[in-house]
Amino acid sequence: MSKPYEPIHIYCASCGAPASFDIAGQVYRCSYCGGVTGIQEPLQEKQGFRRAHQARLQEKRREYPLLSAQCTGCGAQVVFPEGEALTGCAFCGRSLVRKEYLGVESFPEVLIPFKVTEDQARANLLAWCDQNRGKGEAREIRQHIDELRGFYLPYELVKGPVSCAVSRQESKTYRCRGFCDGSFVNTSKQLDNLLLDGMEPYDLTSVKEFDFSYLAGQRVKIRDTDEKATAARVGKEIAAHYRPFAAKVMETKGVEVTADTGNMVALGAVLPAYYLRAGNTLAAVNGQTGKVAVRERKDRYLMPWWIKPILGSILFPALVYGAMKLFGAAQEHCLLVAGALAIFLLFVLFTAYHNEYGGLGRQSLPRRIFTSDDSRTMVSPPEFYMPIDGRERAVALKFTTPLRVLRMVLLGLGTVFLPLILGFLFNGCSVHGLTIGGAAVWMCIAVPLAPVFLIKYGRLELYEHPLIYYRTDEGRRKRYRASKRSWKEELKDVLDTVKVFVFSPLVLVILFLLIVLIVNTVLVVHWDAF
Ligand SMILES: [Zn+2]
Ligand SMILES: [Zn+2]
């Protein structure tokens, strides 16, 4: 091995060349000697590196006299070389207690050195303020710009294979796997995670083994999340990386992703950043790239859930009323139909929205993070896996294809117009002499129920039974069919769904109201005719 040891690389166990990960085989493969390195070996190898590194640092520490200051408010601890001036806490504004730094706890294993000077960082932040003149955040930052301070902030650098459990509401769980080629997770209790994410990415190619010489003229914030909290943060952050991919496959933003990060290699890291607390605004500038991130100063709230159903029950009947008026319908008929529709929609939408969001109370949204550019940490897409024929295979999942949706809609239409279709067939495929009257009762029931069924049962059907494709050993793309369920199980499913909807008191009430209204309309129309 001619090149120096890079702690962020994963090396081949047999020849020492950098190895890359094979997701399907779940091992590292060496492109140089073809050797295979297990998932566990790099974990042990990094443990060894960590011990040697800490021993080297303890040895060297005497050459670098360090001081420490701890905040009386937020507890943030900062370490800096002797002779550095330090005023109040940069993270909360309260006062600091100085003491000699005796810390024997571990120093970080790697770091990225500062590249952006304090003047440049200030200029970048002011440039952001110029571009966002209208925002209150820009005003607050200008007032406090002199308080911008540089810190090496504590992170955990993780790299390695990730396995995620992915599910959407009320549906089964799928597994996907990927390889994360290096991601930084912040390990500061006091700092806003989203803000720090906003100033990423950092360029991993300039990661260096940590050494005290980098601290000259700089301050280091000491990590203060314990092992358990750190692991939880890593899991959350990695899951967040994969959520967009999972959301695309599962066709919903409401996708649940839990990441298993147990096989990832982790290194303690410090990253260069400038940090500013300006009133209610928080700002950070990436000390390597100069990217600016600013956190919104006020909370925002989600619209209460009941606004949409009410708006829907007013707007849609109003449209119908307008349309009927336009075609010259009598005033009382327009009112009657619009009124009936409004009552029906109010019930249906209220129930639907209440089931979904009713219990949630007033929901605040995470504060927005404004950034000076859109660059973000790149993650290669994961692959979905399923056990097929006794082996884990990569699969492609398809839920709502146009053909499947069309089938669902045709099924719905078929149900609604069933009596007419049957009549048409029995009538020798002729419309001659058919009257719509006989089908009215059926339609009264089918028309309001069909959309409910389509939404609930149709959607469930689409999402519970996706089309699954995989590659055979010969490399052909093949549709996978799960073992066929018996007709009894299918029937039970259908009956369960019918039971829930037909026998729910709400649907019965709506049906009753609709029938009363329709009978009324018919009577009124007939009465008018006399
Ligand atoms: Zn090798
Ligand atoms: Zn503080």
Side-chain angles (χ1 to χ4, degrees), residues 71-76 89-94 96 190:
C71 174
T72 52
C74 69
C89 174
F91 308 108
C92 76
R94 270 163 280 192
L96 296 167
Q190 306 85 354

Side-chain angles (χ1 to χ4, degrees), residues 12 14-17 30 32-35:
C12 168
S14 18
C15 80
C30 175
Y32 186 71
C33 79

Side-chain angles (χ1 to χ4, degrees), residues 444 512-526:
C444 283
F512 177 73
L513 278 176
L514 268 176
I515 289 168
V516 168
L517 284 168
I518 286 166
V519 170
N520 250 330
T521 323
V522 172
L523 287 183
V524 168
V525 172
H526 280 237

Side-chain angles (χ1 to χ4, degrees), residues 113-135:
F114 267 98
K115 230 179 184 172
V116 172
T117 65
E118 201 172 295
D119 289 341
Q120 277 172 325
R122 204 176 295 125
N124 286 8
L125 202 48
L126 287 173
W128 181 89
C129 292
D130 280 342
Q131 281 156 15
N132 296 274
R133 221 163 282 140
K135 291 195 172 86

Side-chain angles (χ1 to χ4, degrees), residues 24-68:
Q26 292 287 296
V27 288
Y28 292 91
R29 284 187 204 282
C30 175
S31 57
Y32 186 71
C33 79
V36 168
T37 306
I39 255 177
Q40 293 293 322
E41 282 164 68
L43 298 179
Q44 283 154 18
E45 191 257 349
K46 293 298 176 230
Q47 273 301 325
F49 163 74
R50 174 170 300 156
R51 270 194 301 274
H53 173 78
Q54 294 301 337
R56 272 198 296 278
L57 285 182
Q58 293 302 341
E59 189 112 321
K60 270 184 155 181
R61 216 172 72 75
R62 266 161 272 145
E63 303 166 32
Y64 297 90
L66 296 174
L67 288 177
S68 152

